[in-house]
Amino acid sequence: MDLSNKIAIVTGSGQGIGKAIALKLAEAGAAVVVNSRSEAATAVAAEINGTGKKSTAILGDVSSAADVTRLIEQTLAAYGKVDILVNNAGITRDNLLIRMSDEEWDSVLNINLKSVFLCTRAVMRSMLKQRSGRIVNITSIAGIIGNPGQANYVSAKAGIIGFTRSIAKEVGSRGITVNAIAPGFIDTDMTKNIPEKQRQGLASRIPLGCFGTPGDIAEAVAFLASDGARYITGQVLSVDGGLL
């Protein structure tokens, strides 16, 4: 996959799946804007630059409209366009519904879903003008099948699926594709604290027999961001080892 001369923004890319996506897009030739709320973004951008590829770190909270506006404006000022947007930023605040606080609900919906709306809206004028663009939203198989103790997370991830399908229909005539990837169980900081016995039980339900890696998700993102996926839009691709 050749992403030479493409400009990509990856939200929540200071670690985990987001970092793997940023590294993969850079490897494929894109200049990558690495975004997170922490200085981890700076380290990822430095790692990419160290390989001879181009990268810029722009820190900010993508649930904040002001921060998102700054993210897009600085990207356009530095590179002149945005070809690829990967809405990856996400958090969990798990709890049973009866015990879930307003803050646990709001923080997850804001980071996981509102950020997708804000970032997509912010890049849309530029993409519409250039009559091209690739938007890839990271949802979850939880948004398809549900999960007890995650009403907030599942609602946000299910919302991303509906958003993806709606916006794909809005902007398809202008050469912009909008797709989603639904990871299954992936080895990240979010899953590392699962007790080993429970991990084995979960792995036994996966036809391929193991958890995936962030690189598995990154490969799928790179494909959907490429010219090879030009006729794919409004789709949800489950990368889950066959779990669903």
Side-chain angles (χ1 to χ4, degrees), residues 10 24 73 76 106 134 151 178 180 239:
V10 185
K24 181 61 185 180
E73 287 180 347
L76 291 173
D106 290 342
R134 298 283 186 269
V178 188
V239 183

Side-chain angles (χ1 to χ4, degrees), residues 220-240:
V221 171
F223 168 66
L224 290 176
S226 74
D227 290 341
R230 70 168 194 88
Y231 202 58
I232 300 172
T233 196
Q235 302 303 305
V236 180
L237 174 62
S238 295
V239 183
D240 63 359

Side-chain angles (χ1 to χ4, degrees), residues 7-175:
I7 309 302
I9 298 173
V10 185
T11 70
S13 48
Q15 61 182 356
I17 290 173
K19 177 180 178 180
I21 293 169
L23 294 174
K24 181 61 185 180
L25 296 183
E27 179 187 322
V32 180
V33 173
V34 182
N35 160 264
S36 76
R37 293 184 292 181
S38 73
E39 289 291 341
T42 304
V44 175
E47 183 175 342
I48 292 171
N49 287 323
T51 68
K53 307 293 186 178
K54 292 182 180 179
S55 184
T56 303
I58 301 179
L59 276 59
D61 179 356
V62 286
S63 69
S64 160
D67 280 11
V68 168
T69 296
R70 179 173 54 81
L71 170 64
I72 304 307
E73 287 180 347
Q74 289 185 6
T75 300
L76 291 173
Y79 297 104
K81 62 174 182 171
V82 179
D83 299 296
I84 300 161
L85 169 65
V86 183
N87 287 306
N88 167 77
I91 61 170
T92 56
R93 295 286 187 274
D94 296 350
N95 215 338
L96 294 175
L97 179 63
I98 197 169
R99 299 173 183 167
M100 188 172 289
S101 67
D102 289 359
E103 188 279 331
E104 287 170 333
W105 176 270
D106 290 342
S107 62
V108 170
L109 268 291
N110 285 339
I111 292 290
N112 294 28
L113 181 58
K114 184 181 178 182
S115 66
V116 177
F117 156 68
L118 291 174
C119 292
T120 303
R121 184 181 65 176
V123 301
M124 195 51 64
R125 188 176 301 277
S126 173
M127 287 187 175
L128 288 171
K129 186 176 180 180
Q130 68 197 28
R131 300 185 70 88
S132 67
R134 298 283 186 269
I135 298 170
V136 183
N137 301 319
I138 307 301
T139 178
S140 169
I141 62 166
I144 301 172
I145 62 175
N147 203 29
Q150 288 193 315
N152 48 4
Y153 182 79
V154 170
S155 295
K157 293 301 186 180
I160 289 173
I161 293 171
F163 181 88
T164 297
R165 290 175 171 155
S166 294
I167 305 309
K169 292 183 176 182
E170 284 190 23
V171 302
S173 64
R174 303 301 285 269

